[in-house]
Amino acid sequence: MSTPHNSAKIGDIAKSVIMCGDPLRAKYIAETYLENAVCFNEIRGMYGYTGFYKGKKVSVMGHGMGMPSIGIYTYELYNHYDVETIIRAGSAGGMGDGVEVRDIIIAQGACHDSNFAWQYRLEGTFAPIADFELLKSAYDASVKLGLNAKVGNVISTDVFYAPEDVNLKWKEMGVLGVEMEAAALYMNAAKAGKKALCVCTVSNHMFTKEELSAEERQTGFNDMIKLCLEIA
């Protein structure tokens, strides 16, 4: 059975899924890196493909922008399609000391300014964190591949055009970068008892204002993509 947002049938999607905010990046990954890739979803233009990477069955899919969007797609993957592992291959704005454009951030935890956790009715504040085995595998793979990867916290925000002083306060707390989805992904994984990791390429810097073009964001994240595929 499909869902309102995904036309895939049970069995069409691999146990490990790499997800991107931009569905065209998912299409690029499938066409560039996967063998025998088959498209399983085009609803709302949110492309999803299943193929093989080095002999292992892997799926790639878009998740859109923001926590409500990734929240829907990952909930369905974990709970309807029985996916075990989701790795977000995304972009982030750099803000931490020593973080530069094109660096890779492996998010061990995701601070957030969202009300996403309201649904769990918790008597406190939940701390969304990555799966440790995935986190360690990603870091080890980054060393093996010779990538400039940094491990630390990100801030998942609902506000794209935030005042600079807001970002400065997160920087002062040691946060490496800002993005918009990791916290919801980590919370959905925790609730479902599944695995999740967010890996981001720094596409722009919040303070130096250096940034990559839209085309570079879509197709220029190959180091991060290879890293995610190696651990999927």
Side-chain angles (χ1 to χ4, degrees), residues 15-29:
K15 293 296 184 182
S16 293
V17 181
I18 295 173
M19 302 195 77
C20 315
D22 184 352
L24 291 178
R25 190 181 307 146
K27 185 173 186 287
Y28 169 79
I29 294 172

Side-chain angles (χ1 to χ4, degrees), residues 70-164:
I70 194 174
I72 290 171
Y73 290 106
T74 58
Y75 180 92
E76 292 179 351
L77 289 176
Y78 283 137
N79 297 285
H80 183 78
Y81 292 102
D82 200 27
V83 167
E84 292 294 330
T85 298
I86 297 177
I87 302 169
R88 165 166 147 71
S91 60
M95 62 170 64
D97 291 332
V99 176
E100 299 180 357
V101 170
R102 295 185 177 84
D103 284 352
I104 293 173
I105 297 174
I106 303 171
Q108 67 179 359
C111 311
H112 64 91
D113 57 16
S114 171
N115 200 35
F116 192 86
W118 168 85
Q119 63 187 299
Y120 307 121
R121 303 296 202 275
L122 300 170
E123 297 297 326
T125 302
F126 182 76
I129 59 172
D131 176 80
F132 178 75
E133 290 183 359
L134 282 177
L135 181 74
K136 186 177 185 302
S137 294
Y139 179 73
D140 290 345
S142 73
V143 173
K144 183 178 180 179
L145 293 169
L147 304 180
N148 189 18
K150 296 174 171 61
V151 178
N153 276 348
V154 296
I155 164 66
S156 299
T157 182
D158 286 337
V159 183
F160 186 84
Y161 295 106
E164 188 168 291

Side-chain angles (χ1 to χ4, degrees), residues 39 54 88 157 168 177:
C39 182
K54 295 185 178 180
R88 165 166 147 71
T157 182
L168 182 60

Side-chain angles (χ1 to χ4, degrees), residues 53-70:
Y53 180 76
K54 295 185 178 180
K56 182 178 180 180
K57 187 177 180 180
V58 178
S59 295
V60 295
M61 186 177 181
H63 61 61
M65 292 187 288
M67 284 176 267
S69 185
I70 194 174

